C-alpha cells in the first residue's frame, strides 16, 4: 500500500495534466490570482462628480460625500483622474506640483480623508501619474527655461535654435500640430507631444527618473493602492531627434510608442517603487502590437501588471461600427493574453464619448437596454473591468453643435487646426459632436434638482438635459433601472470566479447581431449572449441546450427552446451551463 499511494498520486497528476478538459493555462498551473485581476475599477473624473462649494467644479469633498454610493455599486477600486496642482490647460493632465492637491479640488487633508474613507469601505485607490510631461508652470520647467546651464535644463527636451529648425514632431493638441515651441528666452525649442503647456519630461535623464520615483513613493507611503501611468508609452525618446518620414503622423504611435530604453526605465521603476509597495500598475496604451503589450505586462518581466489597449475602444467611429469587427478585436486580444499578461476591459473613459451613445443606442426606446447590455459585456469579459462614472446609469453624449460650447483643449485646438487646413467644418463639428471627450465629462446626474444635484452654482460643463429622468435618485427607486442592473452585474462577477479567470471562447463568430461566448473555469461554465442590434435576433447554439439556470437577464424573459434562442433588441443574458 505504502508503495502504491505515491504511484497512484503520480498517475492522477499525470492524468489531470493530460486531460482535455483542462484549460491551456493549466499546463502552467492555475491562473495566477491577484486582487487587481479580481477588482472592478470605477473611474471618477473629479471635476464632474460632485461639487460641494458651489464653484461649479467637482471636488474631493464631493467624492467623500458619495463614498456610500460608490460602495453600493459593488466596485473594488477607484481610479481618480489627476488631482494634483494644475493650471488646467488639460484638466489636470498638466501638473504643476506632484505633491499637492489642485486648489479647485481641495486640500491634502481632504485627500487623506478620502483615502481613509475608501479604505474603511474596502475600496482601493488608483492614482493617475502624469509623467510624460509636466505643466510649463511646474517649478522644474520654470527653472529649465531660465538658462541653458540651469541644473533643470535637462529635465526637458531642448533644441538650440542655432542648429536650425528641429525635425518635425507631431503634437496631439497643438493648434498647428507642431510639437516644438520656440522659446526666445534661451533661443531654443522645447518639445511638447501634447499642448504647449505640457512640455515633455526628459526620461533619458536619470535625475528626472529618480524625481518621479520619489513622487510615486510619496503617494505609496500615503497608502494608495495603484498607479495608472498616463501616456507612458511615449516617455522614451531618441534625443538626437532624427527626421521621420513625411506623413508619419498618421501612424505616429509607430514612431512615438515604446522607443529606446523604455523597458529599462520600467524595470528601474519596478525595483524602486513597485517591488517595495503593495501597488498595482497599469500603463495607458499598450504599444504598437502584441509583442509590445506582452513586454509591458508579462509577469516574469517585472515591469507592469496590466495592459490598457485602445484597439477595442477605437472601433466605434462616427458613422457606426461593425459587430463582427468588434468581436474579432476583443477575441484576438483575449487569445493573445490567454497564457501570460493581463488586460483591462473598457468601452469608455474621460478621453472617449459615452459608451451608450457610441457602442449602444441612446434613443429613448433603447437607451436603458443597450446600457445594461454593454455593462454586461464589460463585466463578463476576461480582464479587469474599468467602469466610467455615469455609465452605471446609462448617461449619454451631450452632443454639442457649436465650437463655443466645448471646454476640451483637444476639441478647441483640433477645430482651429482643421479650419486652417480648409477641412469641411460642418462635418468636423458633426464628428466632434459624436466623439468629443467633453461628451464623457458632463456632470454626474444625481437627482431631479437644479444642475442634477451636481452643484449649487454653474457647472463648468453643462448638465445634460436628460438628467431630469436619468439620475441616481430616480434609478435607485426603480428596480428595473440601469443602475440596479449594474449592481446585480457587479455582484454576479464577484460571486463567480469563472467571470474573472474563466477561459473565454467566442461562439457564432459570424453572427451579425449577437455576440456570444462562454467562460469556463474547471467545471464551471457560463454562456453570455448579447444582442448588439435594435431588432429581435435569433441564434442557435449547441451550448444553449445545456442551460441550467439564468444568472442575469436585462429583460423579464428569454425566448429559448432547446438550442434555439431569440433575443430582444439589446437583450443581454448570462446562463450557467451543465458540466457535460
Ligand atoms: C492621456 C490622458 C488624456 C490627456 C493626455 C495628456 O491620454 O488620458 O486625458 O489629455 O494623456 O496627458
Ligand atoms: Ca467645488
Amino acid at each position: 500500500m505504502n508503495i502504491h499511494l505515491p504511484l497512484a498520486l503520480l498517475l492522477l497528476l499525470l492524468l489531470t495534466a493530460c486531460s482535455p478538459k483542462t484549460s491551456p493555462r493549466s499546463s502552467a498551473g492555475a491562473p495566477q490570482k491577484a486582487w487587481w485581476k479580481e477588482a472592478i475599477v470605477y473611474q471618477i473624473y473629479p471635476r464632474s462628480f460632485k461639487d460641494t462649494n458651489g464653484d461649479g467644479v467637482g471636488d474631493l469633498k464631493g467624492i467623500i460625500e458619495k463614498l456610500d454610493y460608490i460602495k453600493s455599486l459593488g466596485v473594488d477600486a477607484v481610479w481618480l483622474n489627476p488631482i494634483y496642482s494644475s493650471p488646467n490647460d488639460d484638466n489636470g493632465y498638466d501638473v504643476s506640483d506632484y505633491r499637492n492637491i489642485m486648489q479647485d479640488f481641495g486640500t491634502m487633508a481632504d485627500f487623506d480623508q478620502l483615502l481613509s474613507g475608501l479604505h474603511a469601505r474596502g475600496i482601493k485607490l488608483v492614482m493617475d501619474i502624469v509623467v510624460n510631461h509636466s505643466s510649463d508652470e511646474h517649478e522644474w520647467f520654470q527653472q529649465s527655461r531660465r538658462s541653458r546651464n540651469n541644473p533643470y535644463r535637462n529635465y526637458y527636451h531642448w533644441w538650440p535654435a542655432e542648429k536650425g529648425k528641429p525635425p518635425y514632431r507631431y503634437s496631439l493638441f497643438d493648434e498647428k500640430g507642431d510639437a516644438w515651441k520656440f522659446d526666445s528666452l534661451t533661443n531654443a525649442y522645447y518639445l511638447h507631444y501634447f499642448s504647449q503647456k505640457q512640455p515633455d519630461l526628459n526620461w533619458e535623464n536619470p535625475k528626472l527618473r529618480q524625481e518621479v520615483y520619489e513622487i510615486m513613493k510619496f503617494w505609496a507611503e500615503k497608502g494608495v493602492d495603484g498607479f495608472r501611468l498616463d501616456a507612458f508609452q511615449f516617455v522614451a525618446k531618441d534625443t538626437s531627434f532624427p527626421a521621420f518620414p513625411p506623413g508619419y503622423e498618421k501612424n505616429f504611435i509607430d514612431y512615438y510608442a515604446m522607443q529606446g530604453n523604455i523597458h529599462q526605465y520600467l524595470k528601474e521603476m519596478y525595483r524602486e517603487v513597485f517591488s517595495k509597495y503593495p501597488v498595482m500598475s497599469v500603463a495607458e496604451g499598450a504599444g504598437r502590437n502584441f509583442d509590445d503589450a506582452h513586454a509591458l505586462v508579462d509577469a516574469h518581466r517585472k515591469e507592469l501588471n496590466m495592459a490598457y489597449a485602445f484597439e477595442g475602444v477605437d472601433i466605434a467611429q462616427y458613422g457606426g461600427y461593425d459587430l463582427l469587427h468588434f468581436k474579432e478585436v476583443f477575441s484576438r486580444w483575449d487569445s493573445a493574453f490567454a497564457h501570460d499578461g493581463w488586460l483591462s476591459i473598457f468601452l469608455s473613459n474621460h478621453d472617449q464619448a459615452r459608451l451608450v451613445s457610441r457602442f449602444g443606442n441612446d434613443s429613448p426606446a433603447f437607451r436603458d437596454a443597450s446600457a445594461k447590455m454593454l455593462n454586461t459585456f464589460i463585466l463578463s469579459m476576461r480582464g479587469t473591468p474599468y467602469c466610467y462614472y455615469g455609465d452605471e446609469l446609462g448617461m449619454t453624449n451631450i452632443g454639442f453643435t457649436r465650437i463655443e460650447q466645448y471646454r476640451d483643449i483637444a476639441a478647441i485646438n483640433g477645430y482651429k487646426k482643421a479650419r486652417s487646413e480648409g477641412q469641411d467644418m460642418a462635418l468636423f463639428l458633426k464628428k466632434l459632436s459624436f466623439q468629443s471627450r467633453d461628451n464623457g465629462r458632463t456632470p454626474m446626474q444625481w437627482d431631479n434638482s437644479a444642475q442634477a444635484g451636481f452643484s449649487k452654482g454653474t457647472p463648468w460643463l453643462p448638465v445634460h438635459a436628460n438628467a431630469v429622468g436619468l439620475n441616481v435618485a430616480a434609478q435607485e427607486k426603480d428596480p428595473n433601472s440601469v443602475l440596479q442592473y449594474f449592481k446585480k452585474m457587479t455582484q454576479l462577477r464577484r460571486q463567480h470566479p469563472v467571470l474573472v479567470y474563466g477561459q473565454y471562447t467566442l461562439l457564432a463568430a459570424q453572427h451579425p447581431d449577437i455576440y456570444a461566448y462562454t467562460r469556463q473555469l474547471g467545471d464551471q461554465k457560463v454562456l453570455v449572449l448579447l444582442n448588439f442590434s435594435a431588432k429581435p435576433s435569433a441564434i442557435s447554439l449547441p451550448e444553449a441546450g445545456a442551460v441550467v439556470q439564468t444568472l442575469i437577464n436585462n429583460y423579464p424573459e428569454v425566448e429559448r427552446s432547446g438550442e434555439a434562442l431569440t433575443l430582444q433588441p439589446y437583450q443581454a443574458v448570462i446562463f450557467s451551463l451543465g458540466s457535460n
Side-chain angles (χ1 to χ4, degrees):
M1 283 301 275
N2 282 347
I3 305 165
H4 285 126
L5 193 62
L7 253 181
L9 263 176
L10 191 71
L11 253 174
L12 193 72
L13 278 173
L14 270 173
L15 273 173
T16 327
C18 303
S19 153
K21 263 192 184 167
T22 51
S23 77
R25 268 168 301 149
S26 315
S27 53
Q32 195 81 50
K33 293 191 170 181
W35 72 263
W36 43 265
K37 294 184 181 173
E38 293 169 23
I40 298 168
V41 181
Y42 184 62
Q43 185 192 346
I44 294 180
Y45 199 64
R47 208 170 187 75
S48 303
F49 201 59
K50 171 75 189 170
D51 169 28
T52 56
N53 64 350
D55 65 356
V57 174
D59 41 53
L60 299 186
K61 281 203 163 75
I63 305 174
I64 294 167
E65 208 174 90
K66 297 297 182 184
L67 282 171
D68 288 336
Y69 170 74
I70 297 166
K71 176 72 186 167
S72 78
L73 296 175
V75 299
D76 308 272
V78 163
W79 154 26
L80 273 190
N81 291 102
I83 54 168
Y84 319 100
S85 306
S86 166
N88 284 309
D89 192 52
D90 184 22
N91 290 357
Y93 281 96
D94 46 325
V95 179
S96 54
D97 182 351
Y98 291 96
R99 289 183 176 82
N100 255 313
I101 303 296
M102 188 194 298
Q103 271 180 10
D104 287 349
F105 290 169
T107 63
M108 193 59 90
D110 295 339
F111 174 82
D112 293 338
Q113 198 189 332
L114 171 60
L115 183 60
S116 60
L118 284 166
H119 285 171
R121 289 164 180 81
I123 300 172
K124 299 193 190 290
L125 179 63
V126 176
M127 296 286 276
D128 216 317
I129 292 286
V130 190
V131 288
N132 171 69
H133 44 269
S134 73
S135 164
D136 65 340
E137 296 182 32
H138 193 290
E139 177 63 19
W140 297 337
F141 190 75
Q142 293 297 308
Q143 293 276 348
S144 184
R145 67 183 290 251
R146 225 165 263 170
S147 76
R148 288 191 180 189
N149 44 30
N150 187 284
Y152 289 91
R153 187 67 170 181
N154 289 330
Y155 275 41
Y156 297 87
H157 296 287
W158 291 97
W159 179 276
E162 63 272 17
K163 279 172 64 182
K165 274 209 83 173
Y168 168 60
R169 285 295 181 272
Y170 164 71
S171 159
L172 282 96
F173 292 169
D174 187 71
E175 58 179 271
K176 297 199 183 72
D178 183 356
W180 290 108
K181 164 95 175 148
F182 180 68
D183 189 6
S184 60
L185 205 61
T186 54
N187 190 39
Y189 297 84
Y190 68 83
L191 184 73
H192 62 91
Y193 277 0
F194 294 90
S195 92
Q196 290 184 10
K197 286 183 66 62
Q198 295 169 297
D200 282 47
L201 289 161
N202 179 5
W203 274 74
E204 276 57 60
N205 178 353
K207 272 172 81 178
L208 177 275
R209 299 201 300 273
Q210 279 307 320
E211 297 262 20
V212 171
Y213 307 145
E214 292 308 315
I215 290 164
M216 294 173 81
K217 286 186 209 167
F218 170 86
W219 292 100
E221 289 289 335
K222 278 192 164 284
V224 309
D225 307 286
F227 296 108
R228 177 253 187 198
L229 302 176
D230 180 71
F232 197 82
Q233 54 179 350
F234 300 149
V235 298
K237 279 133 191 147
D238 177 346
T239 53
S240 70
F241 294 106
F244 291 154
Y248 88 89
E249 65 274 12
K250 290 187 196 82
N251 303 308
F252 73 94
I253 295 284
D254 291 346
Y255 294 82
Y256 283 12
M258 314 302 296
Q259 299 297 301
N261 295 326
I262 189 163
H263 290 293
Q264 274 158 257
Y265 304 157
L266 281 170
K267 286 190 193 306
E268 188 178 69
M269 185 183 282
Y270 185 95
R271 283 195 304 274
E272 296 276 338
V273 187
F274 302 143
S275 67
K276 295 184 177 155
Y277 299 89
V279 291
M280 69 86 126
S281 55
V282 49
E284 185 201 20
R288 301 156 297 188
N289 47 44
F290 287 148
D291 287 345
D292 277 352
H294 274 295
L296 282 171
V297 298
D298 285 3
H300 70 275
R301 294 183 53 92
K302 296 195 182 325
E303 295 187 23
L304 299 172
N305 292 145
M306 134 171 51
Y308 190 93
F310 289 114
E311 194 176 350
V313 82
D314 284 345
I315 294 171
Q317 297 295 337
Y318 177 73
Y321 71 99
D322 177 11
L323 179 66
L324 299 191
H325 181 205
F326 186 92
K327 296 192 223 182
E328 186 272 325
V329 169
F330 279 94
S331 304
R332 182 156 40 76
W333 276 87
D334 183 87
S335 67
F337 284 78
H339 303 283
D340 210 352
W342 190 257
L343 294 173
S344 315
I345 300 288
F346 64 98
L347 288 177
S348 59
N349 61 35
H350 65 292
D351 293 330
Q352 309 286 332
R354 281 288 168 189
L355 122 173
V356 67
S357 301
R358 277 183 84 199
F359 289 94
N361 186 328
D362 63 8
S363 71
F366 299 123
R367 186 189 70 204
D368 286 9
S370 66
K372 291 173 187 170
M373 186 277 288
L374 293 166
N375 282 322
T376 314
F377 170 72
I378 295 170
L379 291 163
S380 66
M381 285 292 283
R382 206 172 65 87
T384 299
Y386 284 70
C387 305
Y388 189 51
Y389 88 95
D391 285 345
E392 74 273 29
L393 309 175
M395 274 174 62
T396 63
N397 277 0
I398 192 148
F400 291 148
T401 51
R402 290 174 297 113
I403 193 63
E404 296 74 27
Q405 295 172 299
Y406 290 92
R407 294 290 167 271
D408 176 18
I409 184 164
I412 294 166
N413 284 356
Y415 180 87
K416 289 182 191 160
K417 182 163 180 275
R419 198 177 45 191
S420 72
E421 289 166 357
Q423 286 190 30
D424 173 347
M425 295 315 286
L427 180 63
F428 183 91
L429 280 175
K430 271 193 201 150
K431 285 187 180 171
L432 200 57
S433 180
F434 176 75
Q435 70 201 22
S436 154
R437 307 196 296 181
D438 279 337
N439 281 310
R441 298 176 176 184
T442 61
M444 178 67 170
Q445 298 171 191
W446 293 106
D447 57 39
N448 267 330
S449 67
Q451 311 300 358
F454 164 71
S455 171
K456 298 246 179 305
T458 307
W460 73 279
L461 255 192
V463 169
H464 198 297
N466 65 14
V468 178
L470 198 178
N471 60 60
V472 171
Q475 294 203 12
E476 278 181 339
K477 275 186 233 127
D478 173 3
N480 294 319
S481 66
V482 181
L483 178 60
Q484 301 291 6
Y485 183 89
F486 181 86
K487 292 182 192 178
K488 275 185 216 147
M489 195 56 221
T490 57
Q491 276 307 106
L492 195 70
R493 188 175 177 98
R494 297 160 78 90
Q495 285 160 2
H496 295 272
V498 62
L499 291 174
V500 176
Y501 294 113
Q503 186 187 338
Y504 159 96
T505 307
L506 176 67
L507 308 173
Q510 295 307 315
H511 196 292
D513 306 322
I514 294 175
Y515 194 166
Y517 47 94
T518 54
R519 303 289 313 278
Q520 180 164 17
L521 184 67
D523 56 8
Q524 257 201 305
K525 190 170 181 181
V526 300
L527 171 64
V528 182
L529 295 169
L530 308 167
N531 183 359
F532 271 69
S533 82
K535 55 182 199 301
S537 190
I539 190 168
S540 183
L541 292 167
E543 286 77 4
V547 166
V548 171
Q549 197 195 343
T550 304
L551 298 177
I552 197 162
N553 183 359
N554 66 348
Y555 276 73
E557 304 286 339
V558 55
E559 214 180 301
R560 184 178 72 87
S561 146
E563 301 185 355
L565 293 128
T566 301
L567 298 189
Q568 295 308 304
Y570 300 104
Q571 184 160 20
V573 52
I574 304 183
F575 295 117
S576 65
L577 303 183
S579 53
N580 50 10

